Amino acid sequence: MPGHIPHRLLSALIVLLSLCCGIARAQKPAIHYVVDYDKMIKPLLTSRCYACHGNGTKLGGLRLDSRADVLKGGASGPAVVVGHASESLLIKLVSGAQPGRIMPARGARLTASEITLLRNWIDSGLTFGASGAQAAWSAPLLPRRPPVPAAKPGSGLHNPIDLLLQPYFAAHKVAPKPVVDDAAYCRRVSLDTIGLLPSPEELDAFIADRRQDKRALLAARLLEQNRSYAEHWISFWNDMLRNDYVGTGYIDGGRTQITDWLHDSLAANKPFDKFCTELINPGPESAGFIKGIVWRGVVNASQTTEMQAAQNVSQVFQGVNLKCASCHNSFISTWKLADAYGMAGIFSDRALEMVRCDRPTGQTANIKFLYPELGPIDSSAPRAQRQQQLAAILTSKTNGRLARTFVNHLWGKLMGRGLVEPTDEMDNRPWNPDLLDWLSADFADHNYDVRRTILQIVSSRAYQLPAVGMRTEHSPNFTFAGPVVKRMSAEQFVDAVSTLTGVWPRPATGMRIERGKPVVPNGGSVKFASPPLKSGSVDIDIDITGAEVLSLIVASTRDKIDLAWADWAEPRITGQSGETKLTDMKWFAASTGYGLVQINKSVVEKPIRIDGKVFPNGLGTHANSVITYLLPPGATRFRATVGPDTGATEQANAPTSVAFYVVTGERSLVQARASMTLADPLMRAMDRPNREQVVSQRSTVATTLQALELTNGQTLSQILTQGAERWSASTASPAQLARALYRKALGRWPSAAEAQAANSLLGPTVTREGTEDLIWSLVMQPEFQLIY
């Protein structure tokens, strides 16, 4: 625990090593390649050799874009002798050792360092990366629906994913292990679908459930929690769409948030084709993705907003990397400068001159989609119409690439490794093409229903297999045997710590309240005291059973903030302990149209949305503000009389109706999930990106910075201190407290050895310091931080 470790650097290293060991559990030692094919060899071959010997061209019968082709050679025989570069024909040709037969035949000769690189590659075993380890691969563009094999007798398999994996496992001699136990599945699926640890009560109920299909029912029930689902998956989409709450471009208006649109789209499970359409041909709420970032100062030509749009749409929705081709013809793929500028032209109000390596070429790019065979873009049409055409082409059922790319992202997110790696390089070969194509076609056939596809995956036996360690995620030797052990994301970790401690961060975005919809899953609601009121008073008597917080709101029917005041006469809470005046209770948070009011160092941020209308200055009990109270346990009813405050000077100038609202719900109304908050030092150390670039995969490797932040960072220290104060205030004995903390953190009781260690930390009498030490030791466990 921060402040209680005498050797903090040693503790940091221990944390780092334990996490690395947890991820790599039961894994063979990593293979260390002398030469990295994808980063060093493929770019060289692409730029210097593939014009004649790659991408479908094989002059002299020679292709160089797969290991099998290189070994096969061409008309002159094998191109290389593995392990013996000096004897290899390829080296003799590029080095000029055979007069009259120097390669490449056109253009400059290879440099000495380039030839040395090829020599080292051959001498070290001619190792290919994930993109070239097997026979040459041509990624399909159109949808493909492979047949689903019949289940083997006695297998008990029904999920098409498992049936499609049967021949794969047989071919790779993989004998799937028994699925994980109920506790492990419950924790895994909860973290993967809604990003939260299951409570001890939820875990107990699931383990006690005797239904055969209880795992699928649990997953479906989790996916029905709209708010929790949205606030988990918004992190993934914020990374992908470069959306954040603060950062570069927001101050000067050169960047626009899409948070409200994104949250609503996820909560509503908007069909993915519609989701894409509204991003590419956007309205005001979703325009930020295409608008991009207007960088300050002088920037490279490849970072104009039009080019950003071309790069990001291609990467996120087509699995195509255009970044190199935005400066020059790509060295690592077949994409050309004209392709990138043709795509960028769709998002431009003017014809774009191509700029190569920041030097104007004097040539104007023809506007086109990356795959013109799927449909034309009218270059003479206005920009908005071109974007509409692009959205239609991209989401057409004939474009199988859209579904493949997204399904690959889903599989990678849930399984720890994509069917194609990296997940946004879709021209690389999938480890199971039939599985990818079937999932993609099924996704499109069912109206691009994202949650249905997630349910399909997490209900499969493949998802329920024991997790395996992995050191080299992009290894060409990868064989699927089960999900990969994953680190919790920064947001998952912070939420897990908050679940354990009861200490939640404040939201970066406004409280959102909409008529007729639950404010929180499975409970709270918006209560309307009366129709809008112009004079007189209203008696309120409402059921608040199960609510944790209660907010009082007065809304003027006009947007100005000083139209109406209100008196809440003797509001009272009835509960197990009788009746309590609300005015005698502690205010949890408040905000006002006149500025934020800090109470107990916490605020409710504005704006607020009610009935689909946004009140940018908030609403309220008092000049359009919100006051929120933490309710005592067992609160059942709220009673009050409310009406205009005749003593307020503004009242005489307010010929307008007033509506009174009471909002009940969970603490999440004012205590936010980490995904909805600003990045703090802890989350940044845990690899939450700044979102100035598209991030499709976060690193899962533990770093020294993370270890130092976890052992000595103030952010985590403050959370643990507050959490320890809450836990140590209970009347539990040290043994009872240790058992409760273990159950809450790890979903199990402590072993005898763990109980003894916990009791030594807590001491004979529970103290805040001892409790803090125990909580810190629990959150440092790989069992806590990893998803097995």
Side-chain angles (χ1 to χ4, degrees):
M1 196 269 331
H4 291 268
I5 301 173
H7 302 293
R8 292 181 175 181
L9 180 58
L10 178 60
S11 298
L13 293 174
I14 291 172
V15 170
L16 177 64
L17 288 172
S18 67
L19 292 174
C20 290
C21 291
I23 293 174
R25 176 185 294 177
Q27 185 71 12
K28 295 180 180 179
I31 299 172
H32 298 285
Y33 303 116
V34 175
V35 177
D36 187 317
Y37 171 83
D38 284 315
K39 294 182 179 179
M40 303 165 74
I41 300 299
K42 185 178 179 181
L44 175 60
L45 297 179
T46 301
S47 62
R48 308 303 301 279
C49 307
Y50 277 11
C52 298
H53 303 290
N55 297 326
T57 302
K58 50 180 181 179
L59 291 184
L62 175 63
R63 288 189 62 171
L64 297 174
D65 43 8
S66 78
R67 193 174 196 274
D69 286 327
V70 173
L71 293 174
K72 179 181 177 182
S76 300
V80 304
V81 179
V82 179
H84 302 280
S86 60
E87 300 176 19
S88 299
L89 178 60
L90 176 62
I91 297 300
K92 293 177 182 178
L93 292 175
V94 297
S95 62
Q98 292 192 353
R101 297 188 63 193
I102 298 176
M103 295 294 171
R106 295 186 297 272
R109 295 177 57 176
L110 269 61
T111 65
S113 61
E114 290 171 333
I115 295 172
T116 299
L117 183 61
L118 290 177
R119 284 181 176 276
N120 289 339
W121 177 47
I122 294 170
D123 285 337
S124 62
L126 196 73
T127 303
F128 272 68
S131 59
Q134 304 181 54
W137 169 254
S138 179
L141 185 59
L142 301 178
R144 174 176 167 265
R145 293 172 177 79
V148 177
K152 292 181 179 180
S155 68
L157 300 179
H158 305 286
N159 192 309
I161 292 173
D162 298 318
L163 298 178
L164 285 159
L165 281 170
Q166 284 183 132
Y168 174 88
F169 284 146
H172 290 81
K173 297 180 174 56
V174 174
K177 296 180 179 179
V179 298
V180 297
D181 62 27
D182 284 344
Y185 177 80
C186 184
R187 184 180 189 273
R188 180 190 292 178
V189 75
S190 182
L191 285 167
D192 281 343
T193 54
I194 63 171
L196 295 171
L197 293 172
S199 70
E201 295 75 20
E202 291 168 334
L203 191 57
D204 288 342
F206 177 69
I207 293 172
D209 193 340
R210 292 292 176 261
R211 290 175 292 182
Q212 292 295 316
D213 59 346
K214 68 177 185 178
R215 296 194 176 190
L217 292 173
L218 171 63
R221 188 163 64 250
L222 290 168
L223 289 168
E224 290 170 357
Q225 297 182 22
N226 295 337
R227 179 169 179 155
S228 294
Y229 170 88
E231 292 181 353
H232 170 54
W233 285 92
I234 199 171
S235 291
F236 169 79
W237 281 112
N238 279 342
D239 289 359
M240 292 279 278
L241 302 178
R242 304 198 305 176
N243 180 62
D244 213 337
Y245 314 124
V246 294
T248 302
Y250 287 123
I251 295 176
D252 58 12
R255 190 177 182 186
T256 305
Q257 268 197 58
I258 61 170
T259 304
D260 284 355
W261 173 87
L262 182 53
H263 185 280
D264 290 350
S265 298
L266 295 172
N269 194 31
K270 185 173 290 179
F272 189 65
D273 57 340
K274 185 178 181 182
F275 180 89
C276 297
T277 296
E278 292 179 12
L279 285 167
I280 295 165
N281 182 38
E285 282 196 324
S286 58
F289 176 60
I290 293 301
K291 182 178 179 181
I293 301 174
V294 179
W295 300 99
R296 293 185 177 185
V298 179
V299 298
N300 186 280
S302 66
Q303 283 301 300
T304 63
T305 54
E306 298 92 344
M307 189 58 77
Q308 289 178 49
Q311 293 170 359
N312 298 337
V313 169
S314 300
Q315 181 177 354
V316 172
F317 299 121
Q318 296 291 273
V320 170
N321 186 341
L322 283 185
K323 290 184 173 63
C324 288
S326 301
C327 271
H328 46 71
N329 293 340
S330 177
F331 295 151
I332 60 174
S333 70
T334 59
W335 296 110
K336 309 297 183 185
L337 186 68
D339 298 321
Y341 270 89
M343 185 75 173
I346 299 173
F347 306 99
S348 177
D349 288 318
R350 66 191 190 287
L352 293 179
E353 179 187 7
M354 292 190 291
V355 179
R356 179 177 287 108
C357 298
D358 256 8
R359 294 185 179 181
T361 65
Q363 298 175 318
T364 301
N366 294 323
I367 295 175
K368 63 176 182 177
F369 179 47
L370 294 177
Y371 303 101
E373 59 267 38
L374 291 178
I377 301 292
D378 185 357
S379 60
S380 64
R383 175 176 56 81
Q385 187 175 336
R386 295 197 300 270
Q387 291 178 192
Q388 186 177 9
Q389 292 171 354
L390 173 62
I393 293 170
L394 193 70
T395 59
S396 167
K397 290 293 181 71
T398 59
N399 178 20
R401 186 106 181 187
L402 176 72
R404 283 189 187 91
T405 302
F406 178 65
V407 164
N408 189 52
H409 282 306
L410 272 188
W411 186 276
K413 183 75 173 170
L414 297 169
M415 294 290 198
R417 187 192 192 278
L419 289 154
V420 176
E421 279 292 327
T423 55
D424 50 8
E425 293 280 0
M426 291 302 292
D427 285 320
N428 292 343
R429 184 185 181 96
W431 54 262
N432 192 324
D434 283 353
L435 178 55
L436 175 61
D437 287 347
W438 184 87
L439 276 171
S440 305
D442 183 70
F443 177 49
D445 290 343
H446 288 86
N447 195 34
Y448 295 96
D449 186 335
V450 176
R451 292 194 213 180
R452 180 188 175 279
T453 299
I454 293 175
L455 181 60
Q456 184 89 56
I457 295 173
V458 301
S459 300
S460 68
R461 181 187 68 169
Y463 176 83
Q464 299 175 47
L465 292 173
V468 299
M470 176 168 290
R471 292 177 183 268
T472 51
E473 296 177 48
H474 308 315
S475 168
N477 302 315
F478 171 79
T479 298
F480 177 79
V484 173
V485 176
K486 305 188 292 283
R487 287 284 309 277
M488 281 184 180
S489 69
E491 292 87 348
Q492 285 174 316
F493 176 73
V494 171
D495 283 346
V497 173
S498 294
T499 299
L500 177 60
T501 61
V503 180
W504 294 83
R506 300 287 167 246
T509 56
M511 184 189 291
R512 299 166 61 76
I513 302 165
E514 297 186 29
R515 181 190 293 269
K517 296 182 180 179
V519 176
V520 293
N522 307 320
S525 60
V526 179
K527 303 291 185 182
F528 297 89
S530 76
L533 179 73
K534 293 186 178 181
S535 62
S537 62
V538 172
D539 292 326
I540 299 173
D541 185 351
I542 59 174
D543 182 3
I544 58 171
T545 302
E548 295 178 323
V549 297
L550 179 143
S551 296
L552 307 181
I553 304 173
V554 175
S556 166
T557 56
R558 298 186 180 180
D559 290 335
K560 293 182 179 180
I561 64 173
D562 57 354
L563 292 177
W565 291 58
D567 270 341
W568 294 80
E570 294 297 330
R572 294 173 181 269
I573 297 292
T574 302
Q576 296 172 346
S577 58
E579 198 168 59
T580 305
K581 289 184 180 180
L582 198 66
T583 50
D584 292 338
M585 293 171 55
K586 181 186 294 184
W587 285 10
F588 179 76
S591 67
T592 171
Y594 292 117
L596 293 176
V597 176
Q598 287 204 346
I599 300 171
N600 297 331
K601 298 182 180 179
S602 60
V603 298
V604 178
E605 298 285 357
K606 52 189 179 182
I608 295 173
R609 172 181 295 186
I610 291 183
D611 249 357
K613 180 178 181 181
V614 175
F615 294 77
N617 294 309
L619 303 168
T621 62
H622 178 274
N624 294 344
S625 19
V626 178
I627 297 179
T628 302
Y629 298 85
L630 276 180
L631 295 174
T636 57
R637 302 204 71 79
F638 169 71
R639 295 182 177 85
T641 299
V642 61
D645 182 351
T646 55
T649 56
E650 287 86 350
Q651 187 64 39
N653 300 321
T656 180
S657 58
V658 179
F660 301 96
Y661 299 81
V662 178
V663 181
T664 64
E666 295 175 346
R667 290 173 183 250
S668 57
L669 283 173
V670 287
Q671 291 182 316
R673 294 278 296 272
S675 63
M676 306 302 293
T677 66
L678 303 181
D680 55 31
L682 175 60
M683 282 193 277
R684 285 193 289 269
M686 299 290 286
D687 204 40
R688 173 165 160 172
N690 61 18
R691 293 168 178 153
E692 292 174 2
Q693 300 293 330
V694 170
V695 176
S696 56
Q697 293 173 291
R698 296 188 190 178
S699 174
T700 61
V701 177
T703 66
T704 303
L705 175 61
Q706 291 173 8
L708 292 172
E709 186 67 32
L710 291 172
T711 51
N712 294 286
Q714 288 301 308
T715 305
L716 181 60
S717 177
Q718 291 171 2
I719 295 173
L720 298 186
T721 298
Q722 294 177 51
E725 289 175 350
R726 291 170 177 263
W727 278 96
S728 60
S730 70
T731 58
S733 68
Q736 291 171 329
L737 180 60
R739 285 171 58 82
L741 284 169
Y742 263 86
R743 187 76 166 136
K744 188 87 169 176
L746 304 180
R748 63 174 178 82
W749 305 117
S751 67
E754 289 170 333
Q756 182 177 358
N759 286 335
S760 67
L761 282 175
L762 293 172
T765 303
V766 172
T767 63
R768 181 192 63 76
E769 290 80 5
T771 305
E772 190 173 351
D773 284 340
L774 178 56
I775 295 174
W776 181 84
S777 69
L778 286 171
V779 301
M780 291 303 104
Q781 294 282 342
E783 185 179 351
F784 182 83
Q785 294 191 26
L786 302 181
I787 304 174
Y788 288 109

